Amino acid sequence: MFRDFAVHDFDALRFVTNQEIARVYADATVRAFSVYDRYDDADTAVATLTLADGALGLASYTRHNPLGYDVRMELFGSRDSVVVGWDDQAPLRSLEPNGPPLHPAPHAMFHDRFADAYAAEIATFLDVARGRMSSPSTVDDALEALRVAVACNLSLRERRPVDLSEIP
């Protein structure tokens, strides 16, 4: 779970906050899809992420949302609260009596949710491959996101917080 797709969120959190992730505590379970048990994986997971400056992040993951594909980042600070990834197709259902209705066609998969981002990514990749620009994605960024995922797996296995300094 953490190396599969949470790794992208770890990378995004580092980018958005301009902070390194210093410590993690993770937990996970299999709630609906027993196939993940066979591979020592999970279909539902959470992680508490402590950033280098002491800020906290909470991440939650599930491999299945019956209402559609949902991914967003919510940031709560001392001066503002914002959300990235919230749009009219977010597969959320309000329980408030006068809440907004669920969109009739919420995002079904990450392919359609991120179609514009994938097109931009391919265009950038082609520019890099053609020598028109250097890659905006560094090996160091990828390695740091992977280290966070590995730390989450260690935390899950050992049932304890893991400092990123423990992960080479």
Side-chain angles (χ1 to χ4, degrees):
M1 173 75 76
F2 296 111
R3 288 178 300 193
D4 180 14
F5 58 86
V7 70
H8 302 290
D9 297 333
F10 303 148
D11 187 45
L13 181 63
R14 291 179 64 249
F15 176 78
V16 167
T17 64
N18 199 32
Q19 291 286 316
E20 295 301 329
I21 298 169
R23 183 173 52 252
V24 303
Y25 182 76
D27 205 353
T29 188
V30 174
R31 298 286 302 155
F33 301 100
S34 60
V35 65
Y36 292 106
D37 268 332
R38 284 188 284 183
Y39 300 101
D40 193 30
D41 202 352
D43 62 10
T44 306
V46 295
T48 301
L49 310 162
T50 303
L51 303 183
D53 71 352
L56 295 174
L58 299 173
S60 63
Y61 304 95
T62 182
R63 293 190 186 273
H64 176 70
N65 179 343
L67 297 180
Y69 186 76
D70 183 21
V71 61
R72 65 185 174 278
M73 177 183 285
E74 299 174 29
L75 300 135
F76 301 92
S78 58
R79 293 186 305 252
D80 203 356
S81 298
V82 298
V83 63
V84 178
W86 186 290
D87 67 7
D88 67 346
Q89 286 182 266
L92 296 172
R93 187 172 54 91
S94 175
L95 295 179
E96 299 297 325
N98 296 315
L102 180 65
H103 190 281
H107 299 291
M109 291 289 295
F110 63 90
H111 301 96
D112 61 88
R113 173 65 179 90
F114 293 111
D116 292 341
Y118 288 133
E121 189 174 68
I122 289 169
T124 299
F125 173 80
L126 291 173
D127 283 343
V128 170
R130 292 175 178 140
R132 295 180 184 155
M133 64 182 288
S134 60
S135 176
S137 303
T138 70
V139 171
D140 290 341
D141 286 332
L143 180 59
E144 283 305 307
L146 179 60
R147 287 180 65 235
V148 176
V150 169
C152 284
N153 283 339
L154 180 61
S155 174
L156 176 62
R157 188 171 56 252
E158 295 186 359
R159 309 305 250 174
R160 66 175 180 88
V162 173
D163 286 338
L164 265 285
S165 62
E166 298 178 51
I167 310 300

